[in-house]
Structures are given as structure tokens and as C-alpha cells.
């Protein structure tokens, strides 16, 4: 049995884990390693990539900056989250704002130190990334369209750090990135629809608040149409192994998403839509393994 003190410490741990979205950080770390092995450095032995200390430093620096980003975002959105996510907000409040801010600075400082082990360029990149996240949370998040675009760009930025490290300029990488960017942009607009109540109460000028639900749905529909371009190219123009099955599945889910979108009117509906997009993104991370099934089998056997 846990003592009261142990329970309190455990609750604070879960609170901090909730604030930094630990599950998202784990997915990002896995995604960076998989993209390194199968896309960015596909011509190098998998073992050499996985044991690359510089790559480890870049991945840990990315994880630290993203975690810090979630903290500063939580700091600025605490009132809005209390309306939109009351249960999560109560858990997050178990850790004081001062403690959160202390972790924020520690994580960012740690990221710069880890980046410095690689070279000066990653230090510049992560310094700019830290500032961009703060500026987005402080200023840009409440601006329609601009806030959505910047948020989507910040989400894929950790992969840009790996891209710079390996200096791989294959066209397929940009096509993969464009698909991911579009799906994340769709998610951002869907989150706006999901969080309209809190956004309205605190005067967040999101697309759904300023232009209305119908305009948001039309924009999402256009973005889904645009995803068909990278999807077509990835399936028909590039060698992606069995990952094409994932993209066929993604098309199916996006069609279902579109049908549900135009029949959605409540927060619960939009939460379901948001979860569909999460499935597409997370499944996309693990489907990278399908690019080279033989490599996976060799590592297992």
C-alpha cells in the first residue's frame, strides 16, 4: 500500500506527465528514429544509425524542447483548458505554475547543451525553435489561419533537425513532409472546432470563432483534397514498399472523416474526429517499418 506522501508524489508525476504530454513525446522519439533508419539514412546500416550518439543528442534535444513547449502552452492556456478540458486541467494543477516554469527553463537549457555536443548549427536551430514555440504560444496562437499554419510547422520541426543532420534532399522526403503537414493542419482546424467554447469565452480568434463552423469545415475539406496529391505521388511515384497499404488506409479514414465532419455539431463529434486524425498520425509513424520489411525481419530474427 502507498503512503499518503507516496500517493502525492505519484499524482504530481502523473500531473507533470500530463502537462508535457509524455505519450506524444514518446511517439516523436520513435518517429525520429524510424525516419532516420528508413528514410533519412536508408543507405546506412540500421545499427550504425541507431548507435549514433549525435542522433541521440538531437532526438533528446527535440524531446526536451517539445516537452518545454507543452509546458509554456499549458501556462498560457490554463484558463481555456479549464473550460475545454476540466478533468485534465484539475490533474495539471497539481503541479504549481512556478514548478512548471522551472521545468520549462531546465528542459530548454538541457536541449541547448545536448545540441552543442553535435555542432553549432543545431544550437542555432533549437534556439530558434524554442523562441518560435514561445512566440506562437504568447502571440500567434490567437490569430486565425496564421496560428494554425505556425502550429503545424512547429509540430514537424523536430524532423527538420534530423533532415539537416543527414543532409538528405530526396524528393520523397518533401512529399512525406507535405502529407504530414496537411494532416496536422487538418487536426489544428479540428481542434479549433472542438475547443470553440473556451476560445469564445477567452476571445481566442481562431478560424472557427472568427469565420464560423461552416468556413472551418470548408477549409478542412480543401485540405483533405490537397492530401490526395502527396498520397498519389507516394503510392505511384516512389518506392515505399508495403507502406502503400498505410496510405490506402489513410485515404479511407480521411473519407470517413469528411463524411462525419459535415454531420458533426457537438464537441463529442469533434473529439471523435480528432481521434481519427490521431490514429492516422500514430499509425503513420509505425507504418514506416513497412518501407523495408526485410530489414525489420533481419533485426527480429
Amino acid at each position: 500500500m502507498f503512503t499518503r506522501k507516496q500517493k502525492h508524489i505519484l499524482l504530481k508525476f502523473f500531473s507533470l506527465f500530463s502537462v508535457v504530454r509524455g505519450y506524444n513525446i514518446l511517439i516523436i522519439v520513435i518517429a525520429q528514429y524510424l525516419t532516420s533508419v528508413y528514410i533519412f539514412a536508408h543507405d546506412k546500416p540500421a545499427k550504425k544509425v541507431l548507435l549514433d550518439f549525435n542522433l541521440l543528442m538531437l532526438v533528446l534535444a527535440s524531446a526536451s524542447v517539445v516537452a518545454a513547449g507543452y509546458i509554456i502552452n499549458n501556462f498560457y492556456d490554463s484558463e481555456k483548458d479549464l473550460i475545454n478540458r476540466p478533468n485534465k486541467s484539475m490533474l495539471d494543477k497539481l503541479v504549481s505554475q512556478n514548478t512548471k516554469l522551472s521545468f520549462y527553463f531546465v528542459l530548454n537549457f538541457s536541449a541547448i547543451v545536448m545540441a552543442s555536443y553535435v555542432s553549432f548549427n543545431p544550437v542555432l536551430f533549437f534556439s530558434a525553435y524554442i523562441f518560435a514555440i514561445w512566440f506562437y504560444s504568447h502571440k500567434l496562437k490567437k490569430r486565425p489561419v496564421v496560428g494554425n499554419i505556425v502550429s503545424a510547422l512547429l509540430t514537424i520541426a523536430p524532423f527538420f533537425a534530423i533532415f539537416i543532420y543527414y543532409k538528405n534532399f530526396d524528393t520523397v522526403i518533401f512529399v512525406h513532409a507535405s502529407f504530414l503537414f496537411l494532416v496536422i493542419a487538418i487536426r489544428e482546424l479540428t481542434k479549433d472546432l472542438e475547443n470553440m467554447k473556451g476560445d469564445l469565452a477567452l476571445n481566442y480568434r481562431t478560424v472557427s470563432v472568427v469565420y464560423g463552423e461552416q468556413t472551418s469545415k470548408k477549409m478542412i475539406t480543401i485540405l483533405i483534397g490537397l492530401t490526395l496529391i502527396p498520397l498519389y505521388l507516394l503510392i505511384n511515384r516512389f518506392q515505399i514498399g508495403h507502406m502503400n497499404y498505410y496510405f490506402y488506409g489513410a485515404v479511407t479514414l480521411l473519407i470517413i472523416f469528411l463524411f462525419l465532419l459535415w454531420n458533426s455539431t457537438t464537441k463529442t463529434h469533434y473529439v471523435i474526429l480528432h481521434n481519427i486524425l490521431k490514429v492516422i498520425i500514430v499509425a503513420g509513424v509505425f507504418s514506416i517499418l513497412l518501407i523495408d520489411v526485410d530489414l525489420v525481419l533481419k533485426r527480429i530474427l
Side-chain angles (χ1 to χ4, degrees):
M1 294 294 290
F2 290 109
T3 65
R4 181 174 294 181
K5 185 177 180 180
Q6 288 173 328
K7 286 180 180 178
H8 183 67
I9 293 172
L10 195 61
L11 281 172
K12 284 203 169 188
F13 169 79
F14 282 119
S15 175
L16 194 60
F17 186 84
S18 173
V19 170
V20 302
R21 312 281 181 87
Y23 41 87
N24 285 355
I25 303 298
L26 178 61
I27 293 296
I28 290 171
V29 169
I30 293 171
Q32 285 184 300
Y33 267 108
L34 289 179
T35 53
S36 296
V37 172
Y38 291 92
I39 299 176
F40 292 120
H42 60 86
D43 56 339
K44 296 182 180 181
K47 186 177 180 180
K48 185 177 180 181
V49 176
L50 292 170
L51 296 179
D52 186 343
F53 183 75
N54 286 343
L55 176 61
L56 174 63
M57 290 295 100
L58 290 176
V59 170
L60 291 178
S62 298
S64 296
V65 174
V66 172
Y70 282 127
I71 290 174
I72 201 67
N73 191 57
N74 177 273
F75 178 81
Y76 284 114
D77 284 353
S78 57
E79 291 182 58
K80 187 182 80 166
D81 289 341
L82 198 57
I83 299 171
N84 291 325
R85 301 181 181 88
N87 293 331
K88 184 181 184 302
S89 292
M90 295 308 293
L91 177 62
D92 293 351
K93 283 183 177 294
L94 291 175
V95 176
S96 69
Q97 295 287 55
N98 286 337
T99 301
K100 291 175 188 175
L101 288 177
S102 296
F103 269 101
Y104 169 75
F105 289 111
V106 168
L107 286 168
N108 283 331
F109 178 75
S110 300
I112 298 301
V113 171
M114 287 184 282
S116 69
Y117 275 95
V118 182
S119 71
F120 186 63
N121 285 338
V123 172
L124 291 177
F125 171 81
F126 284 108
S127 297
Y129 189 26
I130 290 165
F131 174 78
I133 290 175
W134 170 81
F135 191 67
Y136 162 76
S137 299
H138 183 56
K139 291 287 186 183
L140 300 181
K141 190 170 187 177
K142 296 183 180 182
R143 297 187 180 183
V145 183
V146 173
N148 298 93
I149 293 172
V150 172
S151 178
L153 289 172
L154 290 174
T155 302
I156 64 173
F159 299 98
F160 190 66
I162 310 299
F163 167 76
I164 293 173
Y165 176 61
Y166 285 113
K167 296 181 175 64
N168 186 333
F169 300 101
D170 288 348
T171 306
V172 66
I173 292 173
F174 295 98
V175 180
H176 271 287
S178 64
F179 172 73
L180 179 60
F181 171 79
L182 288 168
V183 172
I184 292 172
I186 293 167
R187 188 191 66 172
E188 292 301 315
L189 287 169
T190 305
K191 281 167 62 179
D192 286 346
L193 288 167
E194 179 187 338
N195 297 327
M196 273 190 70
K197 186 178 178 181
D199 291 338
L200 279 166
L202 295 169
N203 197 31
Y204 275 62
R205 293 176 56 79
T206 61
V207 172
S208 53
V209 169
V210 175
Y211 302 109
E213 289 187 60
Q214 293 302 306
T215 298
S216 290
K217 290 180 180 181
K218 288 175 184 177
M219 290 178 67
I220 290 171
T221 302
I222 291 170
L223 289 174
I224 289 176
L226 289 174
T227 62
L228 297 178
I229 298 172
L231 282 171
Y232 172 81
L233 293 172
L234 288 165
I235 292 171
N236 295 287
R237 302 290 183 181
F238 298 103
Q239 298 296 320
I240 56 170
H242 294 295
M243 195 180 181
N244 62 333
Y245 292 118
Y246 160 75
F247 290 116
Y248 286 128
V251 171
T252 303
L253 283 176
L254 286 172
I255 291 171
I256 294 170
F257 175 94
L258 194 58
F259 172 78
L260 294 175
L261 174 69
W262 285 99
N263 290 280
S264 296
T265 55
T266 67
K267 179 180 172 69
T268 302
H269 293 156
Y270 295 127
V271 169
I272 292 170
L273 291 173
H274 189 182
N275 287 333
I276 290 174
L277 295 172
K278 283 183 179 179
V279 169
I280 293 174
I281 294 170
V282 174
V285 170
F286 292 100
S287 71
I288 294 171
L289 292 165
L290 299 175
I291 292 177
D292 191 341
V293 177
D294 291 335
L295 180 60
V296 177
L297 293 174
K298 285 177 184 176
R299 295 197 61 81
I300 294 175
L301 299 176

